Amino acid sequence: MLNFDEERFLRIQTGAAELADRFDAVVGECLEKGAENIYFLGTGGAAILMQPALELLQRESRFPAFGGMTAELSISGSVNLGPRSIVVMPSLSGTTKESVALLEQLKARGAMTITLVGHAETPLGKGADHVFLNFAEDDTSCESFYLQSLYIALAVMKHRGECPGHADIVTQLKRLPGLLLDVKKAFEPKADAFARVLAGSDYHIMTGAGNVWPEAHYYGMCILEEMQWIRTRPVHASHFFHGTLELVEKGVSVILFKGEDQFRPLADRVEAFVPSYTDRFTILDTRDFPLPGLSDTVRAMVSPIVLATVLERASAHLEVMRNHPLTTRRYYKRVAY
């Protein structure tokens, strides 16, 4: 595979997968201390990666689960955010300015804080009540953060008696690192063609529904815009028909991500509409990838993780194709803002 280190990938994703038992213990401890709600926070892309876990809890658990912008919460606070809140904050660097500022406020309020970081000797790596360290870099962090946050949501449900199949689900999830490597290998022959679609337009409409919508949002904003300077319009598939459809015409690139949860019909609706109005329509569907040993339920849960691992392969080809390394920035962490 192009510019890919299999051993490094497996080491990082296995590191995330093996955190399951500790997440279970920490969440149980927080609940025993009287936790009454949970916040999945973060800044930028890391916050987006928390959304599938947050929405899983909001749909399937009666335990109150909230999201939000760290920068806004630092200013306004929330009547729901206090000493009986579990707060989960991811930051690969461990130094994200907005998250560091909010962590200091959370500690003053007595909230139960959990940070997910890639580096220990950092403010977020040292300042939380419970720090989960799993080294990763930009090309491997998505899968790691998606999985860690999913473990947290599942642990909440388990301790509340809302996830009777928890042990089997976790057993299946621990197989993910090897399965994801197989997915990468299967997609590699198609990665160049997908990258050519991305490189072939300076504007893409990117859409999806359910737990893969955050990946459409993340990939458009954090990879194509930040790392490749390609303009995108991420839009949820349900919102697609309330404005964005009027921008679809011949020559406009529309990219649809399809997962396997109950919201797939919303993506089907986009798929039925778009080909009649543009000649540039691309679909990336997690159903195209075998994941032996995973139940339909778990396949649905991990759809955003599968998309993230596939899109990394497309990105690897894209940066070479455009002679634009993914590490190149004009402003991000380069100028004052």
Side-chain angles (χ1 to χ4, degrees):
M1 288 186 280
L2 178 66
N3 294 337
F4 183 70
D5 184 334
E6 292 187 16
E7 182 180 344
R8 169 176 165 271
F9 175 79
L10 284 174
R11 182 173 63 252
I12 291 168
Q13 305 313 329
T14 299
E18 290 179 347
L19 291 171
D21 295 341
R22 185 169 168 235
F23 278 122
D24 182 65
V26 167
V27 168
E29 177 184 327
C30 291
L31 292 173
E32 287 177 3
K33 288 181 177 179
E36 294 179 348
N37 61 42
I38 186 168
Y39 275 78
F40 287 90
L41 301 177
T43 304
I48 295 172
L49 298 175
M50 299 293 102
Q51 288 180 10
L54 166 63
E55 292 172 8
L56 176 66
L57 279 177
Q58 290 176 332
R59 287 194 303 270
E60 300 192 17
S61 173
R62 294 189 180 277
F63 192 68
F66 301 94
M69 298 282 186
T70 54
E72 289 189 347
L73 286 168
S74 290
I75 295 170
S76 68
S78 169
V79 295
N80 296 303
L81 183 56
R84 294 189 179 275
S85 298
I86 304 169
V87 181
V88 181
M89 286 201 295
S91 171
L92 184 60
S93 69
T95 62
T96 308
K97 180 179 178 181
E98 297 91 335
S99 296
V100 171
L102 183 59
L103 179 62
E104 291 305 310
Q105 295 181 30
L106 293 171
K107 289 164 67 176
R109 295 174 193 170
M112 308 172 202
T113 54
I114 298 173
T115 55
L116 318 177
V117 299
H119 303 276
E121 295 302 312
T122 60
L124 291 169
K126 296 189 294 186
D129 297 319
H130 306 281
V131 176
F132 286 80
L133 173 66
N134 186 49
F135 171 80
E137 292 176 300
D138 284 340
D139 61 334
T140 52
S141 63
C142 286
E143 298 97 328
S144 175
F145 280 154
Y146 273 138
L147 183 56
Q148 290 182 63
S149 58
L150 179 57
Y151 277 150
I152 293 171
L154 290 170
V156 170
M157 294 168 65
K158 172 204 165 182
H159 285 283
R160 289 175 48 82
E162 297 169 329
C163 188
H166 180 270
D168 182 55
I169 291 170
V170 169
T171 296
Q172 293 182 55
L173 291 174
K174 287 181 178 180
R175 300 180 189 139
L176 262 185
L179 294 174
L180 292 175
L181 180 58
D182 291 341
V183 166
K184 285 182 182 290
K185 290 177 178 178
F187 186 70
E188 183 69 14
K190 304 174 184 178
D192 183 80
F194 193 89
R196 290 185 185 282
V197 169
L198 298 174
S201 176
D202 60 2
Y203 168 70
H204 300 278
I205 296 171
M206 310 196 77
T207 188
N211 65 4
V212 302
W213 153 241
E215 182 60 23
H217 186 186
Y218 176 90
Y219 193 74
M221 184 179 87
C222 296
I223 308 301
L224 295 187
E225 291 185 343
E226 179 186 320
M227 300 183 183
Q228 288 293 295
W229 308 345
I230 296 173
R231 294 173 177 84
T232 68
R233 168 62 166 108
V235 58
H236 194 285
S238 67
H239 287 170
F240 184 91
F241 295 97
H242 297 272
T244 306
L245 80 168
E246 289 294 337
L247 299 177
V248 180
E249 60 185 357
K250 186 176 180 180
V252 172
S253 172
V254 179
I255 299 174
L256 172 64
F257 293 167
K258 298 188 74 174
E260 300 174 49
D261 63 14
Q262 66 264 50
F263 303 108
R264 186 177 173 92
L266 299 178
D268 291 338
R269 186 183 181 203
V270 173
E271 183 177 2
F273 173 85
V274 170
S276 298
Y277 302 99
T278 183
D279 54 344
R280 305 187 71 177
F281 183 42
T282 309
I283 300 172
L284 194 55
D285 189 343
T286 62
R287 276 189 180 171
D288 292 338
F289 301 99
L291 297 168
L294 298 194
S295 66
D296 289 346
T297 298
V298 174
R299 282 189 65 104
M301 286 182 183
V302 303
S303 290
I305 306 177
V306 172
L307 285 177
T309 216
V310 164
L311 288 165
E312 182 276 326
R313 288 291 77 216
S315 299
H317 286 260
L318 184 63
E319 67 173 346
V320 173
M321 189 178 297
R322 300 184 74 238
N323 192 29
H324 185 132
L326 295 168
T327 54
T328 300
R329 305 287 189 280
R330 287 182 292 194
Y331 313 120
Y332 182 65
K333 294 186 178 181
R334 294 185 181 277
V335 300
Y337 52 84

